[in-house]
C-alpha cells in the first residue's frame, strides 16, 4: 500500500465510472458521498476508487460497513474492511452492527431492509449527498432474469437505475462487469472478502449466477449479461414515461385523504390499462402496501367489472366500490404525496 499501483485497464474503468457519475449528477468539491462497503470485490473496488477520485476532486468520502451478524466471524471481516479503507484514506469509516428480524419475506429481504435503514441513518448523520452502492452489470442481469422468472412488470424488469428515483443511492458500476472489480482489487493489491453465501445455491440469486447465466452463455453464446443490461436500460426509459403519465392521471382521478384514497372509477376505467394499473399501484403504495399483480388486478375488477362484489381485504388496505367511487382505506394515517 506504500507504493501506488500502476494504472491498469480495470483500475481505469472503475475510476472513470465513478468520475463520470459524479459529473453527470453534480457531486462536487465539498460534498460528502457515502459508500456502502462489505469488503467484497465490488464494494471494495468502489470504495478504493471513490477515495482516489475524492482526493482529486475534493469530494469527501465516508464509508459505511454494515455487519449483519448472520455469519460467524462477520465482525472480524467488518473490522478488517474498516482498517483497509481507513488506510486507503477514507475521511469517515463506521461499522454498524445490525440484527436481522426474520419475517415471512425471507432472510435476503430482511437483511436488505436492515442494511438500507443503517445506510440511510449513516448518510443523514454525515450529511452525505448520496450513498454509493457497488452493484455491477452482473447484478443487473441477475435482477432482470429474476424478474422474468417471477412474472414481474416493467418496473421490476427495468432493474436498478444508476441514480435511484429518490436520489438517495448512486450505482456507478452498473456498466462494469464483476470480473473487472475483481481485477481492480487484484491489480491494486487489495484482498477482498469472498462471502460464502455467494456460493450457497439455496439462494435464488446464487442459482441464477452460478447455473442459469452460465447455461445461457453456453447455449446462446457470449454477451447475455450485456444484453440483459441493455434490456433494463430500454425498460427504464419506458417505465419513466409511463410513470410520468400515470402520475398525471392520478392527480385527476384520485382524492387523497388522511386514511383513505378515493378513485373516480369511471374516469379511471377510460384510461389505458397500463396507466390505470399504475394508478392503482401508486394508491396502494401510498397506503403502505407492497402490492403484487393479483392485488392490482382485484382492485381493477372493481373499476372495470363492477357487479356488486364484496370489499377486498388486502395487506394494509380495505378496498370497496361505492357508486362511482373506489375507496381504498388504510388503518394507518399517511402523508399525502409521500409515494
Amino acid at each position: 500500500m506504500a507504493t501506488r499501483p500502476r494504472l491498469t485497464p480495470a483500475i481505469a474503468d472503475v475510476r472513470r465510472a465513478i468520475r463520470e457519475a459524479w459529473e453527470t449528477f453534480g457531486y462536487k468539491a465539498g460534498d460528502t458521498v457515502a459508500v456502502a462497503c462489505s469488503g467484497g470485490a465490488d464494494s471494495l473496488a468502489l470504495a478504493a476508487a471513490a477515495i482516489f477520485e475524492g482526493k482529486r476532486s475534493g469530494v469527501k468520502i465516508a464509508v459505511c460497513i454494515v455487519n449483519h451478524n448472520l455469519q460467524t466471524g462477520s465482525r472480524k471481516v467488518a473490522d478488517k474492511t474498516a482498517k483497509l479503507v481507513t488506510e486507503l484514506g477514507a475521511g469517515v469509516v463506521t461499522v454498524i452492527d445490525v440484527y436481522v428480524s426474520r419475517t415471512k419475506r425471507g432472510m435476503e429481504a430482511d437483511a436488505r431492509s436492515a442494511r438500507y435503514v443503517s445506510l440511510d441513518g449513516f448518510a443523514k448523520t454525515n450529511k452525505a449527498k448520496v450513498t454509493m452502492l457497488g452493484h455491477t452489470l452482473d447484478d443487473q442481469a441477475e435482477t432482470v432474469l429474476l424478474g422474468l422468472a417471477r412474472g414481474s412488470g416493467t418496473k421490476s424488469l427495468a432493474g436498478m437505475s444508476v441514480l435511484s428515483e429518490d436520489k438517495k443511492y448512486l450505482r456507478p458500476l452498473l456498466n462494469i462487469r464483476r470480473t473487472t472489480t475483481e481485477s481492480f482489487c487484484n491489480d491494486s493489491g487489495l484482498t477482498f472478502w469472498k462471502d460464502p453465501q455467494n456460493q450457497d445455491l439455496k439462494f435464488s440469486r446464487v442459482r441464477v449466477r452460478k447455473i442459469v447465466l452460465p447455461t445461457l452463455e453456453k447455449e446462446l453464446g457470449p454477451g447475455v449479461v450485456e444484453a440483459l443490461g441493455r434490456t433494463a436500460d430500454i425498460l427504464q426509459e419506458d417505465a419513466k414515461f409511463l410513470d410520468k403519465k400515470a402520475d398525471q392521471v392520478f392527480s385527476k382521478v384520485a382524492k387523497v385523504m388522511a386514511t383513505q384514497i378515493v378513485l373516480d372509477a369511471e374516469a379511471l376505467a377510460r384510461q389505458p390499462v397500463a396507466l390505470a394499473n399504475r394508478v392503482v399501484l401508486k394508491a396502494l403504495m401510498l397506503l403502505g402496501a407492497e402490492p403484487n399483480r393479483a392485488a392490482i388486478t382485484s382492485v381493477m375488477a372493481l373499476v372495470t367489472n363492477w357487479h356488486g362484489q364484496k370489499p377486498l381485504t388486502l395487506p394494509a388496505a380495505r378496498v370497496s366500490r361505492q357508486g362511482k367511487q373506489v375507496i381504498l382505506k388504510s388503518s394507518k394515517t399517511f402523508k399525502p404525496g409521500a409515494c
Side-chain angles (χ1 to χ4, degrees), residues 65-239:
I65 301 156
V66 179
N67 174 29
H68 298 86
N69 288 288
L70 292 173
Q71 301 178 58
T72 302
S74 63
R75 179 68 201 210
K76 185 179 292 186
V77 172
D79 289 341
K80 185 177 180 180
T81 302
K83 183 175 183 293
L84 180 54
V85 294
T86 299
E87 291 173 351
L88 288 171
V92 176
V93 180
T94 301
V95 176
I96 299 177
D97 283 296
V98 299
Y99 296 90
V100 180
S101 300
R102 302 300 180 91
T103 70
K104 293 180 180 179
R105 297 184 307 159
M107 188 189 75
E108 288 177 283
D110 293 332
R112 189 183 307 113
S113 295
R115 179 166 61 254
Y116 279 99
V117 168
S118 297
L119 292 175
D120 289 349
F122 178 81
K124 185 175 181 180
T125 298
N126 291 281
K127 298 180 180 178
K129 296 285 186 179
V130 75
T131 298
M132 294 206 302
L133 307 174
H135 295 120
T136 65
L137 180 58
D138 295 80
D139 294 308
Q140 184 78 300
E142 292 160 13
T143 299
V144 173
L145 270 182
L146 285 168
L148 282 169
R150 292 166 180 162
S152 302
T154 306
K155 201 172 185 69
S156 179
L157 294 180
M160 300 171 282
S161 56
V162 175
L163 184 66
S164 63
E165 222 173 288
D166 55 15
K167 296 181 171 55
K168 288 164 63 174
Y169 304 108
L170 180 68
R171 301 178 177 90
L173 306 185
L174 276 186
N175 287 316
I176 299 288
R177 292 296 304 266
R178 187 172 291 129
T179 52
T180 301
T181 63
E182 292 176 353
S183 294
F184 178 104
C185 292
N186 292 329
D187 295 346
S188 302
L190 302 174
T191 302
F192 57 88
W193 178 52
K194 297 180 180 179
D195 186 350
Q197 288 190 344
N198 287 336
Q199 306 297 321
D200 192 340
L201 294 177
K202 75 179 181 183
F203 297 113
S204 56
R205 185 173 287 272
V206 176
R207 293 196 297 276
V208 168
R209 182 178 305 163
K210 296 292 183 180
I211 300 173
V212 178
L213 276 171
T215 300
L216 288 174
E217 292 273 359
K218 178 182 176 182
E219 298 298 329
L220 301 179
V224 171
V225 168
E226 289 80 2
L228 289 168
R230 290 194 298 273
T231 298
D233 290 341
I234 294 167
L235 289 173
Q236 281 179 27
E237 294 169 0
D238 292 349

